[in-house]
Amino acid sequence: MSNPMVITAAMVGAETTREQTPYLPITAEEIAEDAVKCREAGAAMVHLHVRTPDGKPSQDTELFRAAIRAIRKRTDILIQVSTGGAVGMGVDERCGGLRLTGEDRPDMATLTTGTVNFGDEVFWNPRPLVRDIARRIKALGLRPEFECFDVGMVDEARALAKEGVADLPGHFDFVLGVPGALTAREDALDFMIKSLPEGSTWTVAGVGRHQLPFVELAAERGGNARVGLEDNIYVSKGVLAKGNWELVAEAAKRAKAKGRTLATPQEARKLLRLDAV
Ligand code: KMH
Ligand code: ZN
């Protein structure tokens, strides 16, 4: 494969807790320190959620601002803010990271394109809400990463493009292995890829034990991969990753073993067409 692989570090998430792993970064400084190491290990982008000081999931604009400033002070890694937040949050709360302009503006934002069971809960994304977030992303001059937990969510990006609230070709993230959603199977990944709008790029995020094997599947197919403590806390069976950087390092090793080079943030910006808004 001649195209460099973009590794994204989903560093914080909304569900992982300090009880599950003491290595979860929570404060802006902790996030920045791990982000620097992720960049050194081969990541080109971070997928960012933020937490209150006591570790609760948040989408607070000022917490995002502090994390983004801390990261940018120390590294050139691209920053993609979550607009998904945590299950149960309302749309205005979810869009906290989209209120950042000027030098604090993120490089990209996620856009989940449909409702899905999320464990025993529901990640609620009715069409009007999705359109609303899509418009906010566009108004900020950003490109979305379409977060697809099932294949119908890939098709939904086409509907958004028809309505003029998003642009295609786009960049997609296939999140595979969430209980209640599409499972992490190789044939499911292939079907997702086959379903993409012409010319689009993709990343795969395998959840739990699927995370690192799916880096290899992505590498073989010329795609990109997301790893990190949002989706998986183990670097090998029963062994906690000592930070997001350790999962990135393992992903980088596997990608290189498959013959891939790794994208720098500048290359990722081009590959994902972040400036073509
Ligand atoms: N925490 C999940 C319910 C995103 O970041 O855009 C949603 C999520 C998706 O993590
Ligand atoms: Zn997320």
Side-chain angles (χ1 to χ4, degrees), residues 13 47 49 82 226 230:
H47 164 72
H49 290 244
S82 167
R226 173 172 120 173
E230 172 165 344

Side-chain angles (χ1 to χ4, degrees), residues 3-8 42-45 78 171 202-203 223-226 260-264 267-269 271-272:
N3 61 320
M5 185 178 197
V6 178
I7 297 183
T8 300
M45 179 152 68
L78 299 174
H171 180 65
W202 60 274
T203 290
N224 308 290
R226 173 172 120 173
R260 297 292 297 276
T261 59
L262 303 179
T264 62
E267 287 171 325
R269 182 173 279 287
L271 288 163
L272 308 185

Side-chain angles (χ1 to χ4, degrees), residues 12 18 24-33 51-53 63 66-67 70:
V12 182
R18 271 278 170 86
L24 180 74
I26 286 177
T27 67
E29 280 314 311
E30 288 166 352
I31 293 170
E33 192 175 328
R51 303 288 180 103
T52 58
L63 289 172

Side-chain angles (χ1 to χ4, degrees), residues 13-15 47-49 81-87 110-112 118 123 147 149 226 230:
E15 292 80 27
H47 164 72
L48 192 64
H49 290 244
V81 292
S82 167
T83 66
V87 163
T110 58
L111 177 65
T112 301
F118 197 85
F123 182 28
E147 297 285 310
F149 294 74
R226 173 172 120 173
E230 172 165 344

